[in-house]
Amino acid sequence: MPHRTTRTHAVGPRGRGTHRLVADALKAAQPGDTVVVAPGRYQESLELARRVVLVAEQGPGTVVLAAPPGGAPALRVLGPDCLLRGLDLEGADPGDPAVTVTAGAGLVLDRCTVTGGRIEVRGPEGAEPGDFREGEEGTSAVLLRDCRLTGARHAALRLSGGARVRIESTTVTDIDGVGAVLAGTARLDVTGLRLESTTGSGIRLRGRSRLRMTESRLTSPGRAGLLLEDTAHALVTTTRIETPGTAGLHLGGDSHADLTDTRVLRPAASALVLQDAARLTADGCTVTAPGANGLLATGTARARLTDCRLEDCGFSAVHLSDRAEAAFTDCRVRRGAEHGFHVAGSAVLSLTDSTVGEIALTGVAVTDEARATVTGCRIDTAHTGVAVASPAGTRIDRSTVVGAARAGLEISAGGRAVLTGNRVTGSGAAGILLDSGSEATVEGGSVEGGSGSGVVVWTGARPVIGGLRIDGTGRNGVYFAEGAGGLLTSCDVVGTRLPALHLAAGAAPRLRRCRVLDCPAAFGGDGSAAPVLEQCDVDGVPLAFVGALQPPAVPAAPVLPGAPVLPGTPAVPAVPLPPAAAPAELPTAEPEEEHLDDLLAELATLVGLDRVKHDVQSMVKLMQAVRLREEAGLPAPPLSRHLVFAGNPGTGKTTVARLYGRLLKALGLLRRGHLVEVDRSALVGEYVGHTGPRTAAAFNRALGGVLFIDEAYSLVPESGGHDFGLEAVATLVKLMEDHRDDVVVIAAGYPADMARFVGSNPGLSSRFTRTLLFEDYSAADLVAIVEHQAREHRYELTGPARLRLLHHFETLPRGAGFGNGRSARQTFQEMTERQAQRMAEAVTPTPDQLSTLEPADLPAPVLG
């Protein structure tokens, strides 16, 4: 049969084309023909029943195919291999389909826009979804390439049955509902998706549907970024999920997700949520600043994370409960408002070769009937390094705990653990704390430095400790409380400040082949004790216990560290503390002394802020006068150091607060002058009784310095009524009174809202008597900030670039999204990125070219 020659059919207004209606041209077209549509708006409901090509004559944005009223879609695809290029498809109702593709049909949308309705693809029922495999390209019944979907209600894209859809370089935006919904055995393959501003989840998978997504970005979905239910499966790589309204990724049922090189940024709730029997694997992923947990796993969910980062979590970075299991390898958890890892219920945690640091409460907390295995990890700067209150059996192996405010390793009442080859250094109260009723075995390792005792064995505890070295502790090497005992074998106690062993009344430990070196005494205590000594020595001399002991020079009476305790947390025994130790304050190196003149000079160098700088300088002079009166024996005038910083975001409030603390330190009015920055999420708890301890923990971290409460007005609801934020305010007022000479509180926020905060409690209005107003930066100020950033990073702006930058800031809209200094820093970052792209195209750029920012490097809106 001879090959048929394909034809082109023209559609246009009178005098321009053969056909006035697109539908007429489609009826005339044979398989393989092309229909070319002249610019205009065509209100038709089209059917593609055979293989045709439908194109806009003058390209995208010139032809609109609009569905007529009545519910019919703008386009219904019934046949295979249909192609639309450069057309705008418009639905009649945002809640109805604008495009439908039936089972067995095929469609390619190339550079098309679909607005006011969804794309609905139905596949054959009963088709198997298949699994995504490495290198598999897959086949699609529908392909969207360089398209834009907008203005739909319920969903922008709905796949059902065995539908197969591929998306390339496409934008989905402003959807009153979910970006894409998959059901049945549907399969969606996505590359380069930009999904923005949906009121529902970004992508929802149900049934046995499958999603493969790479190099995509989901921004501001109203609920979860990705929601998986039933037995759905998602394979996600090189993707960003930013500011979702709830979770970044929410898995339920028997669903499964594999994440690689994926980032979840600033979700309002927990970043990764696993429920029921869901499974998650994540490799090289990052979670940043979630409002709640970094990972929350319940039910029988299982998670495996490798080379992942969880940072700035509002609650515990990882919370496991019920019978959930999670394994973390080579991961990092930093800056958490509660625990690093909280393992509860009957959950199981495996933590290997990972780091946990700057945690407000406990690095790893194991409670209820849970168990954990911690191997080769480092826990740095937490209130407690590892706390075990579960009898299920936890192992801590070859790990390091540094700078714990309370205890490095703590086994609470009922807890059971084996500690092997660990190193604990710089703990505030105890290196290892073994509570009454705990069951602990310590094998090897060391406890070094710190202001407390090396090991505290509380009343009735009977640990087995072998091969442990205790070196240079601020109090005793081992503190045995009344009635404590246990077996110590081949342990060394070296260079303690108090006697190597403190034995309270009735203590009866057994010591075998232990050594005491360079300690002020072997024993101390205040009552009868009956230790059993076998082959022990002091500085090479055989050790013998000599009857009743005299009290040590420094009293060994236990002092509670004052740690906040969450509801349901086992009680913690009293632990000896040196008199100078602040109860819940993290031990840090003393900062270098700074001179007042240098700090005032630093204040003067800040860009803009003339009124603020004048106010701060006035307060410094007043405080100097107060100091002079006190030194002369005269009573000091009433002086409140607490401040309100009122200003829009990015106006330097945090920078000035940090400098204010250093100024007070230089004046001798604060011990440390450090800054602790918090917001509502760091102070307000999840349930009744949770807020007080959280607020106290944050406040205690600021003792000796400045507590900076950002968006403080959020603690006080505009509508009144009960809110946990009011409990935080009441707690703050009491703590400010109890520690009025040892902390400064700065409440910051929008000027219009701060009066509501101060007026919410009489205790606040009497303490916050001075407000500093931070005005928005001028365009010239913003240019100066960019130039400062450039100098710090060894860049230089040309004269034309500086002028263009000034124009950019003069014309930049100053709406709700304007960030003042933050906008300047973002502009600088964008300039360096654009310059880097420009240099990548140069053959051999010179050093001067690499460090010069030109007008071409400014953000695109300026160039227009």
Side-chain angles (χ1 to χ4, degrees):
M1 178 180 289
H3 179 71
R4 189 184 74 82
T5 302
T6 60
R7 296 186 302 162
T8 298
H9 306 267
V11 178
R14 185 175 302 277
R16 290 283 310 274
T18 304
H19 302 282
R20 302 291 176 265
L21 299 177
V22 180
D24 292 342
L26 292 175
K27 289 178 183 177
Q30 296 298 310
D33 285 357
T34 298
V35 175
V36 179
V37 185
R41 180 182 179 85
Y42 301 82
Q43 191 167 52
E44 305 181 54
S45 180
L46 305 178
E47 286 190 358
L48 300 182
R50 58 182 69 90
R51 181 170 57 89
V52 295
V53 178
L54 188 62
V55 300
E57 180 183 31
Q58 295 185 18
T62 62
V63 175
V64 177
L65 301 180
L75 178 68
R76 185 162 48 239
V77 183
L78 308 175
D81 302 327
C82 299
L83 168 63
L84 270 69
R85 179 175 292 127
L87 299 170
D88 292 350
L89 302 168
E90 184 179 295
D93 187 315
D96 293 333
V99 177
T100 62
V101 182
T102 61
L107 172 67
V108 175
L109 293 180
D110 183 16
R111 292 177 291 164
C112 293
T113 295
V114 179
T115 184
R118 67 181 175 272
I119 298 176
E120 190 167 285
V121 184
R122 302 186 185 95
E125 298 296 334
E128 289 299 318
D131 289 320
F132 294 115
R133 295 183 294 273
E134 187 71 26
E136 178 192 8
E137 290 300 327
T139 59
S140 299
V142 175
L143 170 63
L144 309 181
R145 180 189 298 122
D146 295 324
C147 292
R148 180 180 177 87
L149 313 183
T150 184
R153 188 166 64 243
H154 307 313
L157 179 64
R158 179 176 290 172
L159 283 59
S160 61
R164 299 290 184 268
V165 175
R166 179 171 178 80
I167 294 177
E168 299 175 356
S169 303
T170 288
T171 298
V172 177
T173 184
D174 297 325
I175 305 300
D176 185 10
V178 181
V181 177
L182 284 66
T185 58
R187 178 164 152 172
L188 177 61
D189 207 343
V190 176
T191 301
L193 171 66
R194 296 295 180 266
L195 185 147
E196 303 172 355
S197 301
T198 63
T199 61
S201 297
I203 300 177
R204 181 181 184 184
L205 285 74
R206 305 176 65 184
R208 293 189 292 156
S209 58
R210 300 288 185 264
L211 168 70
R212 176 165 60 184
M213 181 163 59
T214 185
E215 297 178 5
S216 297
R217 177 176 293 183
L218 312 182
T219 303
S220 300
R223 297 189 65 80
L226 296 176
L227 173 62
L228 277 67
E229 302 169 277
D230 305 323
T231 59
H233 177 207
L235 183 65
V236 181
T237 61
T238 323
T239 289
R240 292 165 63 101
I241 302 174
E242 300 183 27
T243 59
T246 58
L249 176 70
H250 191 142
L251 305 178
D254 292 305
S255 62
H256 178 203
D258 298 294
L259 308 182
T260 303
D261 191 23
T262 291
R263 303 184 68 185
V264 180
L265 307 176
R266 301 179 299 283
S270 296
L272 308 172
V273 177
L274 282 66
Q275 296 177 318
D276 308 320
R279 291 171 294 142
L280 169 70
T281 61
D283 190 354
C285 298
T286 299
V287 168
T288 302
N293 307 110
L295 170 70
L296 172 64
T298 62
T300 59
R302 288 179 290 160
R304 179 175 58 81
L305 285 78
T306 305
D307 188 25
C308 293
R309 305 290 181 262
L310 288 77
E311 301 173 341
D312 300 302
C313 297
F315 295 164
S316 297
V318 175
H319 184 95
L320 310 177
S321 63
D322 299 330
R323 291 179 291 153
E325 299 182 10
F328 291 76
T329 303
D330 191 25
C331 292
R332 184 177 70 182
V333 172
R334 307 293 293 179
R335 297 183 301 276
E338 291 188 351
H339 305 295
F341 292 81
H342 188 186
V343 195
S346 299
V348 178
L349 168 68
S350 173
L351 184 62
T352 306
D353 297 334
S354 299
T355 62
V356 183
E358 300 176 62
I359 300 299
L361 298 181
T362 305
V364 179
V366 187
T367 61
D368 302 329
E369 301 292 326
R371 69 180 187 274
T373 301
V374 180
T375 307
C377 296
R378 179 183 174 92
I379 300 171
D380 190 347
T381 316
H383 190 266
T384 299
V386 179
V388 179
S390 166
T394 287
R395 293 192 63 94
I396 313 295
D397 299 329
R398 296 179 286 104
S399 295
T400 300
V401 180
V402 179
R406 180 179 174 81
L409 303 173
E410 178 176 335
I411 316 302
S412 300
R416 186 163 64 90
V418 176
L419 315 176
T420 305
N422 301 295
R423 178 172 178 256
V424 179
T425 178
S427 295
I432 301 175
L433 170 58
L434 308 174
D435 196 358
S436 302
S438 64
E439 184 179 336
T441 300
V442 181
E443 301 172 357
S446 64
V447 176
E448 304 167 14
S451 54
S453 296
V455 178
V456 172
V457 183
W458 211 247
T459 302
R462 300 285 188 272
V464 176
I465 303 175
L468 179 68
R469 179 181 176 87
I470 302 168
D471 192 343
T473 56
R475 294 185 70 85
N476 307 109
V478 184
Y479 180 100
F480 290 98
E482 294 182 4
L487 172 64
L488 276 68
T489 304
S490 301
C491 295
D492 290 348
V493 182
V494 181
T496 59
R497 190 165 70 90
L498 297 184
L501 305 172
H502 175 89
L503 301 171
R510 179 183 294 270
L511 283 73
R512 181 181 298 155
R513 296 188 300 279
C514 293
R515 298 187 302 171
V516 174
L517 303 170
D518 299 326
C519 295
F523 297 104
D526 57 1
S528 61
V532 177
L533 308 178
E534 303 174 12
Q535 304 177 42
C536 299
D537 66 70
V538 177
D539 296 323
V541 178
L543 176 63
F545 178 68
V546 185
L549 301 170
Q550 298 297 320
V554 179
V559 178
L560 279 174
V565 179
L566 292 177
T569 303
V572 182
V575 181
L577 283 174
E585 184 178 337
L586 302 182
T588 58
E590 284 297 319
E592 293 184 6
E593 289 296 328
E594 296 183 293
H595 295 291
L596 183 62
D597 291 343
D598 295 336
L599 295 173
L600 291 173
E602 184 177 338
L603 175 68
T605 62
L606 296 180
V607 174
L609 305 176
D610 292 339
R611 180 188 298 185
V612 170
K613 289 187 283 191
H614 176 270
D615 289 346
V616 172
Q617 290 166 348
S618 297
M619 286 188 294
V620 167
K621 292 177 182 177
L622 176 60
M623 293 173 189
Q624 286 177 308
V626 169
R627 288 292 306 277
L628 292 173
R629 286 181 60 87
E630 289 176 339
E631 292 171 359
L634 298 173
L639 175 66
S640 176
R641 299 175 297 177
H642 308 302
L643 299 173
V644 171
F645 281 9
N648 292 323
T651 49
K653 295 187 293 293
T654 306
T655 299
V656 174
R658 184 173 288 108
L659 187 54
Y660 183 62
R662 292 162 59 200
L663 283 164
L664 295 182
K665 169 70 165 55
L667 287 165
L669 299 176
L670 284 177
R671 291 184 290 111
R672 294 174 57 193
H674 65 296
L675 182 82
V676 174
E677 183 177 359
V678 298
D679 57 14
R680 177 186 169 92
S681 66
L683 303 177
V684 177
E686 305 170 67
Y687 44 80
V688 175
H690 195 190
T691 296
R694 283 173 64 88
T695 302
F699 192 93
N700 287 338
R701 294 199 308 275
L703 287 175
V706 175
L707 179 66
F708 182 83
I709 307 174
D710 196 17
E711 297 181 352
Y713 55 83
S714 64
L715 297 173
V716 181
E718 291 187 60
S719 58
H722 178 73
D723 184 88
F724 287 155
L726 298 176
E727 182 184 348
V729 170
T731 303
L732 283 169
V733 169
K734 183 179 185 306
L735 291 170
M736 290 166 70
E737 176 61 27
D738 293 344
H739 302 276
R740 56 180 173 272
D741 294 327
D742 197 32
V743 76
V744 166
V745 178
I746 296 177
Y750 290 105
D753 294 310
M754 291 309 296
R756 186 178 82 250
F757 168 74
V758 174
S760 66
N761 186 298
L764 292 180
S765 57
S766 65
R767 288 168 176 82
F768 290 102
T769 59
R770 182 186 291 266
T771 297
L772 271 61
L773 181 61
F774 287 70
E775 298 174 335
D776 288 345
Y777 287 113
S778 67
D781 291 337
L782 296 174
V783 171
I785 292 173
V786 171
E787 289 189 302
H788 176 73
Q789 292 276 310
R791 287 192 297 271
E792 281 193 343
H793 295 84
R794 298 183 65 183
Y795 287 93
E796 184 176 354
L797 277 72
T798 64
R802 189 177 296 106
L803 290 174
R804 189 69 64 86
L805 183 63
L806 180 63
H807 174 72
H808 168 76
F809 286 131
E810 287 173 341
T811 57
L812 189 67
R814 298 205 173 201
F818 178 65
N820 277 290
R822 183 173 65 250
S823 294
R825 290 186 290 272
Q826 290 171 345
T827 299
F828 171 70
Q829 180 179 349
E830 186 172 348
M831 291 174 69
T832 60
E833 291 172 354
R834 293 170 67 90
Q835 191 249 27
Q837 294 173 359
R838 187 164 54 82
M839 290 299 100
E841 299 172 358
V843 180
T844 54
T846 66
D848 285 345
Q849 289 176 311
L850 290 170
S851 60
T852 300
L853 297 174
E854 301 281 357
D857 301 322
L858 266 70
V862 173
L863 298 179

